[in-house]
Amino acid sequence: GSDLVNEQDATGRTPLHWASLHDHEPVVKALILKKANGAIKDSTGTPAINWMKGKWNLLARFSPFSLHFTRVC
């Protein structure tokens, strides 16, 4: 469920933080499809969406309901 995809570790990071930080685009997309919340902040106050911006030539656009990715050429 979405409670597991949004679970935070000791540093406050979620699986989405870690997948984004380590450039795992397929995992990021899979987590988003499972309703991962990109607005959750880690212990430094950084939301996962910040790690996604500018990576993989993708434009991350946050809405209150979900994250949507659009490939940018």
Side-chain angles (χ1 to χ4, degrees), residues 2-73:
S2 63
D3 49 334
L4 290 178
V5 298
N6 291 312
E7 187 171 326
Q8 293 175 276
D9 66 12
T11 66
R13 290 183 175 163
T14 64
L16 190 56
H17 279 93
W18 288 109
S20 299
L21 178 63
H22 294 287
D23 298 328
H24 294 297
E25 180 183 0
V27 176
V28 168
K29 288 180 177 180
L31 288 167
I32 290 168
L33 288 174
K34 293 291 184 183
K35 308 292 187 218
N37 183 345
I40 295 174
K41 294 179 181 176
D42 65 15
S43 60
T44 67
T46 306
I49 193 170
N50 281 19
W51 291 108
M52 290 181 265
K53 290 180 181 176
K55 291 194 175 192
W56 317 296
N57 280 336
L58 292 170
L59 174 65
R61 182 170 34 99
F62 181 72
S63 78
F65 306 104
S66 63
L67 285 171
H68 301 279
F69 284 90
T70 306
R71 185 152 303 272
V72 178
C73 297

